[in-house]
Amino acid sequence: MSAQTYLAYDYPLLSVFWSMLWFFLWIMWFILLFRIVVDIFRDDAMSGWGKAGWLVFTIVLPFLGVFVYVIARGKNMGRREIAQARAQQDEFNAYIRQTASGGTSSVDELAKLSEIRSRGDITDEEFRRAKDLVLAGQGSTQHAGSASGTTGG
């Protein structure tokens, strides 16, 4: 038997399976450790001393710290993660709505008001009040029309 064929039979298939299993369990444990550290910092209800205590516990005694944390606080880990995901989704939706609405500037608002006045839909006094609202940053042409008492008709 040559040296090459001997090396192929030196590590049995079952040993390869067990090695891969331990390797993936090790990776899963690191993922769990990092999720716990993130959860410790994410929890707003926990005091600073509590966060420091859990962090030291999970770093000094990592296996025991992770297992105790999962048993003691694991139920709410998912809830905190879902709450954060919902908050991020709400912020994203608000940003999309704000961006999609066009976000007109004061110059655009004043141009619209000037056009409405030139058509004769509002009086000079209503235009002046609406212009003051736009320049103060408090209203748009829709708010200005309702504030001045006109219906646009």
Side-chain angles (χ1 to χ4, degrees):
M1 211 184 259
S2 71
Q4 237 178 359
T5 53
Y6 178 72
L7 290 177
Y9 295 109
D10 192 30
Y11 202 62
L13 185 62
L14 188 58
S15 294
V16 171
F17 172 75
W18 283 112
S19 296
M20 289 179 64
L21 179 68
W22 281 111
F23 176 74
F24 286 117
L25 286 174
W26 187 251
I27 297 297
M28 286 175 41
W29 183 81
F30 270 112
I31 290 171
L32 182 61
L33 175 67
F34 290 130
R35 287 190 62 169
I36 287 174
V37 169
V38 167
D39 187 64
I40 289 171
F41 285 107
R42 178 186 297 146
D43 189 5
D44 292 332
M46 192 185 319
S47 70
W49 286 107
K51 289 179 184 185
W54 277 112
L55 197 59
V56 166
F57 188 38
T58 56
I59 289 174
V60 171
L61 299 170
F63 290 108
L64 184 62
V66 165
F67 292 128
V68 170
Y69 189 87
V70 168
I71 291 169
R73 300 180 49 85
K75 183 178 180 181
N76 292 326
M77 279 178 67
R79 291 181 185 152
R80 284 187 290 274
E81 190 169 345
I82 289 171
Q84 182 190 21
R86 283 187 183 148
Q88 286 178 341
Q89 184 66 39
D90 291 343
E91 289 175 13
F92 178 74
N93 290 342
Y95 172 75
I96 294 296
R97 278 193 296 275
Q98 177 187 5
T99 304
S101 70
T104 57
S105 67
S106 298
V107 175
D108 295 333
E109 296 282 340
L110 290 175
K112 287 178 187 177
L113 282 171
S114 179
E115 181 184 338
I116 292 170
R117 181 182 65 170
S118 67
R119 283 194 318 238
D121 291 341
I122 60 174
T123 65
D124 288 337
E125 177 62 27
E126 292 170 336
F127 173 77
R128 186 188 58 74
R129 282 188 281 170
K131 182 179 78 168
D132 291 342
L133 283 175
V134 169
L135 292 177
Q138 297 177 356
S140 64
T141 55
Q142 291 86 11
H143 298 321
S146 63
S148 63
T150 61
T151 58

Coordinates of all heavy atoms in Angstrom, one line a residue, residues 98 101-113 131 133-135 137-142:
Q98 N -42.3 60.2 3.5 CA -41.8 61.6 3.5 C -41.1 61.9 2.1 O -41.3 62.9 1.5 CB -40.8 61.9 4.6 CG -40.2 63.2 4.6 CD -39.1 63.4 5.6 OE1 -38.7 62.5 6.3 NE2 -38.5 64.6 5.7
S101 N -43.7 61.8 -0.8 CA -44.6 63.0 -0.8 C -44.1 64.2 -1.6 O -44.8 65.1 -1.9 CB -45.0 63.4 0.6 OG -43.9 64.0 1.3
G102 N -42.8 64.1 -1.8 CA -42.2 65.2 -2.6 C -41.6 66.3 -1.8 O -40.7 67.0 -2.2
G103 N -42.0 66.4 -0.5 CA -41.4 67.4 0.4 C -41.1 68.8 -0.3 O -40.0 69.1 -0.5
T104 N -42.2 69.5 -0.6 CA -42.1 70.7 -1.3 C -41.4 71.8 -0.4 O -41.5 71.8 0.8 CB -43.5 71.3 -1.7 OG1 -44.3 71.4 -0.5 CG2 -44.1 70.4 -2.7
S105 N -40.6 72.6 -1.0 CA -39.9 73.7 -0.3 C -40.8 74.9 -0.2 O -41.8 75.0 -0.7 CB -38.6 74.0 -1.0 OG -38.9 74.6 -2.2
S106 N -40.3 75.9 0.6 CA -41.0 77.1 0.8 C -41.1 77.9 -0.6 O -42.2 78.5 -0.8 CB -40.3 78.0 1.8 OG -40.2 77.4 3.0
V107 N -40.1 77.8 -1.4 CA -40.2 78.4 -2.7 C -41.3 77.8 -3.5 O -42.1 78.6 -4.2 CB -38.8 78.3 -3.4 CG1 -38.9 78.9 -4.8 CG2 -37.7 79.0 -2.6
D108 N -41.4 76.5 -3.5 CA -42.5 75.9 -4.3 C -43.9 76.3 -3.7 O -44.8 76.5 -4.5 CB -42.4 74.3 -4.2 CG -41.1 73.8 -4.9 OD1 -40.7 74.5 -5.8 OD2 -40.6 72.8 -4.5
E109 N -44.0 76.3 -2.4 CA -45.2 76.7 -1.7 C -45.6 78.1 -2.1 O -46.8 78.4 -2.5 CB -45.1 76.6 -0.2 CG -44.9 75.2 0.3 CD -46.1 74.4 0.3 OE1 -47.2 75.0 0.3 OE2 -46.0 73.2 0.4
L110 N -44.6 79.0 -2.1 CA -44.9 80.4 -2.5 C -45.3 80.5 -4.0 O -46.2 81.3 -4.3 CB -43.7 81.3 -2.2 CG -43.4 81.5 -0.7 CD1 -42.1 82.3 -0.5 CD2 -44.6 82.3 0.0
A111 N -44.7 79.7 -4.8 CA -45.0 79.8 -6.3 C -46.5 79.3 -6.4 O -47.2 79.9 -7.2 CB -44.1 78.9 -7.0
K112 N -46.8 78.2 -5.7 CA -48.2 77.8 -5.8 C -49.2 78.8 -5.3 O -50.3 79.0 -5.9 CB -48.4 76.5 -5.0 CG -47.7 75.3 -5.6 CD -47.9 74.1 -4.7 CE -47.1 72.9 -5.2 NZ -47.3 71.7 -4.3
L113 N -48.9 79.5 -4.2 CA -49.7 80.5 -3.7 C -49.9 81.7 -4.7 O -51.0 82.2 -4.9 CB -49.2 81.0 -2.3 CG -49.5 80.2 -1.1 CD1 -48.7 80.7 0.1 CD2 -50.9 80.1 -0.8
K131 N -48.8 83.3 3.0 CA -47.3 83.5 2.8 C -46.6 83.6 4.1 O -45.5 83.0 4.3 CB -47.1 84.8 2.0 CG -45.6 85.1 1.7 CD -45.4 86.3 0.9 CE -45.5 87.5 1.8 NZ -45.1 88.8 1.2
L133 N -47.6 82.1 6.8 CA -47.5 80.8 7.4 C -46.4 80.0 6.7 O -45.7 79.2 7.4 CB -48.9 80.1 7.2 CG -50.0 80.5 8.1 CD1 -51.3 79.8 7.6 CD2 -49.7 80.1 9.5
V134 N -46.3 80.1 5.4 CA -45.2 79.3 4.7 C -43.9 79.8 5.1 O -43.0 79.0 5.4 CB -45.4 79.5 3.2 CG1 -44.2 78.9 2.4 CG2 -46.7 78.7 2.7
L135 N -43.7 81.1 5.2 CA -42.3 81.6 5.7 C -42.0 81.2 7.1 O -40.9 81.1 7.5 CB -42.3 83.1 5.4 CG -42.3 83.5 4.0 CD1 -42.3 85.0 3.8 CD2 -41.1 82.9 3.2
G137 N -42.8 78.4 8.3 CA -42.6 77.0 8.3 C -43.7 76.2 8.9 O -43.5 75.1 9.3
Q138 N -44.9 76.8 9.0 CA -46.0 76.1 9.7 C -47.0 75.5 8.8 O -47.9 74.8 9.2 CB -46.7 77.1 10.6 CG -45.8 77.6 11.7 CD -46.6 78.6 12.6 OE1 -47.7 79.0 12.3 NE2 -45.9 79.0 13.6
G139 N -47.0 75.9 7.5 CA -48.1 75.4 6.7 C -47.8 75.2 5.3 O -46.7 75.6 4.8
S140 N -48.7 74.6 4.6 CA -48.6 74.4 3.1 C -49.7 75.1 2.5 O -50.6 75.7 3.2 CB -48.6 72.9 2.8 OG -49.8 72.4 3.1
T141 N -49.9 75.0 1.2 CA -51.0 75.7 0.5 C -52.3 75.1 0.9 O -53.3 75.9 1.0 CB -50.8 75.6 -1.0 OG1 -50.7 74.2 -1.3 CG2 -49.6 76.3 -1.5
Q142 N -52.3 73.8 1.3 CA -53.6 73.3 1.8 C -54.0 73.9 3.1 O -55.1 74.2 3.4 CB -53.5 71.8 1.9 CG -53.4 71.0 0.6 CD -51.9 70.9 0.1 OE1 -51.0 71.2 0.8 NE2 -51.8 70.6 -1.1

